[in-house]
Amino acid sequence: MKKTFVAIVAVALMLIAAAPDKTTTIFVIGDSTAAKKDTTGGKQERGWGMMLQECFDADYIVVDNHAVNGRSSKSFIDEGRWDKVLAKIKPGDYVIIQFGHNDEKPQPERHTEPGSTFDYNLSKYVRETREHGGIPVLMNAVARRDFFIHTPANDDDEKLRNSTFKDGGSRKEGKTLNDTHGLYRVAPMDVAHYMNCHFVDANKITSELEQSLGTEGSKKLHMWFLPGQEPSEPQGKQDNTHYNKYGARVVAGLLADALCKEIPVLSKYRKK
């Protein structure tokens, strides 16, 4: 009797192991605005990709976030990160492709040109996702919180992570959000059009969010803390690029809604 029971259990385990994976994976590739963050010691910075799983039923949709701080469409490929994602894609999976913040930067290991190398890299992601049976979704870069009368020079968003409130300085702000992405905002839209690819206008969504909250309210989305306000940032912070926990959750929710509108089949797995 005992041997029979053991045999039944063994067969059951084999059947479970052999059962097809019924989950669909949403891969996220991109930069620090979406990336996983170090949360030890109460650190508050979050990428919106960290919060995306909260928006979907994990029994059916699994979010696999590969976005990394400081990466551009070029460096993500050159460092072999894209190959690792390609090896994991199974038919029917989705790949959200969002770059731009670091493609704008002057460093040769990251820089690309819209209408040229930036478009080429985005097209490569789309094409190779499809070759592996996946479904590509292009997004343009999320907006920076820039209400400045005179936008400060910014050669590297990653430097903001090591700054303090004092380093941010005192700059005059107005009531209108400035676009800091230019043609890098447009290129993903163009590539999506000529490659007949799903597209979510993340820049428009987040620009409208920042503008609706206004000069002061929009600070609540970002790593923007007065000295002594946040225990993990005792010297404060004026980082208008990266999100805090609250901001990442709000942005992830808005992008999940837009994703479901673009791809209605995902709506039945959307969690509120």
Side-chain angles (χ1 to χ4, degrees):
M1 187 71 177
K2 185 177 180 181
K3 289 182 179 180
T4 302
F5 176 76
V6 171
I8 292 172
V9 171
V11 171
L13 290 173
M14 289 175 62
L15 290 173
I16 292 172
D21 184 358
K22 293 183 179 180
T23 61
T24 295
T25 301
I26 298 178
F27 295 94
V28 179
I29 64 171
D31 54 43
S32 59
T33 57
K36 297 176 184 177
K37 310 292 180 178
D38 176 10
T39 61
T40 59
K43 293 183 178 70
Q44 292 297 301
E45 187 179 335
R46 300 288 190 276
W48 66 260
M50 295 176 71
M51 306 300 196
L52 192 61
Q53 184 66 75
E54 296 179 3
C55 302
F56 292 97
D57 186 339
D59 289 336
Y60 301 96
I61 301 292
V62 175
V63 176
D64 191 357
N65 186 11
H66 289 258
V68 182
N69 292 353
R71 270 54 183 189
S72 70
S73 68
K74 179 181 186 300
S75 62
F76 196 87
I77 294 170
D78 292 345
E79 293 173 1
R81 298 178 184 278
W82 176 231
D83 287 337
K84 292 179 181 178
V85 176
L86 281 177
K88 299 177 73 174
I89 297 172
K90 63 183 186 297
D93 286 342
Y94 296 88
V95 181
I96 295 176
I97 304 155
Q98 185 188 63
F99 292 99
H101 275 87
N102 298 304
D103 289 77
E104 303 166 6
K105 303 302 186 243
Q107 296 89 347
E109 67 273 14
R110 299 196 289 179
H111 184 73
T112 65
E113 287 290 335
S116 177
T117 46
F118 187 37
D119 298 49
Y120 174 84
N121 290 338
L122 296 180
S123 299
K124 174 183 172 71
Y125 289 124
V126 170
R127 183 179 67 255
E128 294 183 356
T129 295
R130 287 171 170 166
E131 289 172 353
H132 284 71
I135 302 165
V137 182
L138 281 168
M139 290 188 183
N140 48 12
V142 293
R144 293 185 180 92
R145 182 197 165 274
D146 184 350
F147 288 90
F148 298 116
I149 301 300
H150 300 290
T151 298
N154 178 9
D155 65 344
D156 192 349
D157 287 294
E158 297 306 299
K159 293 178 181 177
L160 297 170
R161 196 165 285 108
N162 299 318
S163 67
T164 65
F165 186 88
K166 183 179 178 181
D167 296 325
S170 179
R171 299 185 179 91
K172 189 175 181 181
E173 293 185 310
K175 295 182 179 181
T176 302
L177 186 75
N178 299 313
D179 169 41
T180 65
H181 295 302
L183 292 177
Y184 291 93
R185 171 180 58 81
V186 179
M189 195 183 312
D190 290 342
V191 173
H193 177 71
Y194 67 70
M195 294 197 75
N196 193 27
C197 173
H198 291 296
F199 174 72
V200 171
D201 197 340
N203 186 266
K204 182 176 185 291
I205 291 166
T206 52
S207 292
E208 290 176 349
L209 172 64
E210 303 271 2
Q211 185 66 67
S212 69
L213 293 173
T215 308
E216 290 301 316
S218 58
K219 293 176 182 177
K220 296 178 181 179
L221 300 171
H222 295 276
M223 292 296 292
W224 221 105
F225 303 112
L226 294 170
Q229 182 181 4
E230 165 53 44
S232 64
E233 300 286 351
Q235 298 184 68
K237 185 84 68 181
Q238 292 188 52
D239 181 341
N240 295 299
T241 297
H242 301 108
Y243 298 118
N244 58 32
K245 190 185 301 184
Y246 169 74
R249 183 168 282 120
V250 170
V251 170
L254 291 174
L255 295 183
D257 287 341
L259 189 62
C260 290
K261 185 176 180 180
E262 174 69 19
I263 307 172
V265 70
L266 293 175
S267 298
K268 58 183 175 180
Y269 309 118
R270 175 76 168 94
K271 289 171 61 179
K272 296 297 182 183

